[in-house]
Each structure stands twice: as C-alpha cells, then as structure tokens.
Amino acid sequence: MRLGVLDVGSNTVHLLVVDAHRGAAPLPAYSHKTELRLAEHLDKDGKIAQSGADELVSFVKEASELAEDKGCESVLAFATSALREAPNGEKVLDRVREQTEVNLQVLTGEDEARLTFLAVRRWFGWSAGRLAVFDIGGGSLEIAAGSDEEPTVAVSVPLGAGRLTRESLTADPPDKDEVRKLRKRIRVEMAAVAGDVLRAGKPQRAVATSKTFRSLARICGAAPSDDGPYVPRSLSRDDLAEWMPKLVAMTAAERAELPGVSASRSTQLVAGALVADAVMDLFDLTSLEVCPWALREGVILSRLDQLQPR
C-alpha cells in the first residue's frame, strides 16, 4: 500500500510518501518539504501568529493534494512540540481541519520518543540488544531506552536546537558567555532525567537520529548522504570535542559551508552540538551510531502493525 506521512515539526513540515506493507521496510517514493519554522511564528504570548497559521494551512493543503496525486491510500498526519506547546494550538489545528480536511494528531513528547525508538529497533534488529536512542528536534530532545520494541523509559526534554538558539544565543558568531551559560542549562536539564534512563541499565548500543546528529556526524567525517542509508555512520565524542570550539567561532554563513550543513540549519548547529556533547558526556558514551530511520518511520511502522494480515 502507498501511505503518506505528513510531519509538522518545529523546523520543517515534511510530506513523505512510502510504499509499505506489514512485515517489510517502508520504501520512500516521494518527498516534499518546506522550512516553515513554525516555532519562530510566535507572538509575545507564545501563540502561533496569523502568518504561521496561514503558511501551515497552505502547505498542508498542498501536501494533501500531492498525496492524492501520488496515489496515497491514506495520510498519517502528526505535529510535534510547536503545536503541542502553543496556547492557541487547538485553534490552529481546528483551522487546518476545517480548511484542508486533514486531522493533525499532536504527539506527546513521550510518544515521539517511543515511536522513534520503535523505528531504531526495527532498523538494527534484536541483535542490537539494549538500546538507548537520542533525537534532537527543533523544540525538544527525545530519549528512550529498553530491550524490547516498547522502551522501558521514554522522556522528552525541552532541549531542541531551534528552541535553545532562539532563547539563548543572540550573536553571530555566538557570544562565549552565552555559550557557557547555555552549556550549563543543557547539562542541568538533561541530568534531571538521566538517572531514570541510566537506572534501567547501560545500553549495548547507543543510537542518534535527526538532522542535527546527521550533520554533526558528517562534519566529523561520516559518509555523505549520497552514499545511501546502509553505510554505517557514527559520531564520536572525541571528534565532536575537537570541532566544538571551531563551530562556536564560526558565523552561521561559515557553518553553512561545512559538509552536510544547510543554510537553514546552520544557525542552530552550535546549540545542537552542545546537546550532543552533553548526551555523550552525561550518559558516558564514547560514540553514537547514526540511524537513518526516526519518528516518521516509527509512525509508519506503528500504523502497519495495526493492520490485519491479509
């Protein structure tokens, strides 16, 4: 069957069309996305401004038409932290539903962690043993760990790269004092949940997903995306530590010249690197394996699991 997945994130709104059936890996057939940066369309009260709602409705309508053109049997539409946290999120969802007939499901942070964990488990399989999975989004960091397909622990922390950049880094290149204060904030907030994850046991495999981790791994020498998803990729703590002062000293434009870094993401890379560094330090990890599957694939796999065998 052909499915569409519409992912409304804090940075990107992404339609992914896949050919999938139960028991098989979903195969990407078409992709369409825009850097809407919904979390930046906020007023002083944290509400999504008219401009953001207008752009969201426009893209959802476009994505719905594209999914129909591509022959999708159904579209799984979901939203994450930007809509979850906005005081007027429900009103925006109602407007999207009324004007596009698309019902966006708002995932909790724990849902995001759980579904991402499912995708990583299916990618690496049972031989991976106990997994710890980390995903840096625009608005939040998701962490999940466990030995089964359902994680033993799944948590979400407001340490997304976009959020931290907006709230804490005002200069370009970043002010060293701001970087120091942000580093402390990240570690304090992450340490508050680290005990819950660590008490469940040391992972046999530590895995990272998301664009931020992929970009950092590429900067540190991992294979480019053109080499395909099956090439092993990882991010080492030592390599990231070597790159950290360089990234802090660069302007956003200079970071955008690095391999694997888009201009739209370059402003958030320092905050993302600080989160990645804290992950490996506080969880005592020398490296993280990078998984090409993440939340979208988890949503697809969960949906396929609900279907009755033919």
Side-chain angles (χ1 to χ4, degrees):
M1 66 188 304
R2 177 160 283 195
L3 294 172
V5 183
L6 180 59
D7 175 0
V8 179
S10 298
N11 287 318
T12 305
V13 186
H14 189 174
L15 171 70
L16 178 66
V17 175
V18 298
D19 291 316
H21 62 269
R22 190 173 181 180
L27 298 176
Y30 177 77
S31 176
H32 178 60
K33 60 184 176 180
T34 185
E35 296 282 348
L36 178 57
R37 293 189 179 277
L38 195 60
E40 295 181 6
H41 289 272
L42 302 177
D43 64 19
K44 58 182 177 62
D45 298 319
K47 295 180 180 178
I48 296 173
Q50 182 74 29
S51 59
D54 289 345
E55 289 187 38
L56 177 60
V57 168
S58 177
F59 185 86
V60 171
K61 188 178 296 182
E62 179 186 6
S64 181
E65 292 170 355
L66 284 170
E68 183 176 324
D69 290 343
K70 298 299 178 182
C72 291
E73 184 173 318
S74 61
V75 176
L76 310 174
F78 65 91
T80 55
S81 63
L83 276 167
R84 182 169 68 232
E85 297 174 6
N88 64 335
E90 284 296 330
K91 290 184 178 179
V92 175
L93 291 170
D94 288 343
R95 183 180 165 196
V96 170
R97 190 180 305 111
E98 290 168 3
Q99 297 188 16
T100 69
E101 298 183 352
V102 173
N103 185 22
L104 282 172
Q105 177 189 3
V106 178
L107 300 178
T108 67
E110 290 73 17
D111 284 339
E112 289 187 57
R114 178 178 56 80
L115 290 165
T116 301
F117 184 90
L118 172 64
V120 172
R121 169 61 73 193
R122 294 282 177 89
W123 180 267
F124 285 111
W126 294 113
S127 64
R130 179 174 172 78
L131 287 171
V133 177
F134 305 89
D135 187 304
I136 303 172
S140 57
L141 164 72
E142 273 67 53
I143 305 172
S147 301
D148 302 323
E149 289 201 333
E150 282 286 331
T152 305
V153 57
V155 296
S156 180
V157 194
L159 295 176
R163 180 200 299 272
L164 297 177
T165 302
R166 288 191 307 275
E167 294 177 354
S168 301
L169 300 179
T170 62
D172 184 27
D175 177 79
K176 290 184 179 179
D177 191 49
E178 288 185 339
V179 170
R180 180 185 59 79
K181 290 178 180 178
L182 178 56
R183 182 181 184 275
K184 179 179 179 181
R185 169 187 167 182
I186 290 167
R187 286 165 181 262
V188 168
E189 293 192 30
M190 197 180 299
V193 301
D196 292 336
V197 180
L198 293 169
R199 268 191 291 272
K202 188 173 179 63
Q204 293 166 285
R205 206 159 194 162
V207 180
T209 71
S210 80
K211 178 65 173 175
T212 296
F213 275 120
R214 291 198 301 272
S215 295
L216 292 171
R218 180 73 184 98
I219 290 169
C220 293
S225 58
D226 288 347
D227 285 2
Y230 298 106
V231 176
R233 295 174 175 86
S234 64
L235 172 66
S236 87
R237 184 176 168 187
D238 288 344
D239 287 343
L240 182 59
E242 183 178 339
W243 265 98
M244 185 69 73
K246 302 176 189 177
L247 294 174
V248 172
M250 291 179 178
T251 64
E254 289 169 337
R255 289 192 294 272
E257 297 296 320
L258 297 172
V261 181
S262 65
S264 61
R265 299 275 183 160
S266 63
T267 57
Q268 304 179 12
L269 196 62
V270 170
L274 288 170
V275 174
D277 180 60
V279 162
M280 287 189 277
D281 188 4
L282 294 182
F283 290 92
D284 193 24
L285 304 169
T286 57
S287 67
L288 290 163
E289 295 182 69
V290 179
C291 179
W293 280 6
L295 178 58
R296 279 185 292 275
E297 287 77 13
V299 169
I300 295 166
L301 293 166
S302 179
R303 174 73 178 94
L304 293 174
D305 286 349
Q306 296 169 18
L307 300 178
Q308 294 295 323
R310 293 182 177 178

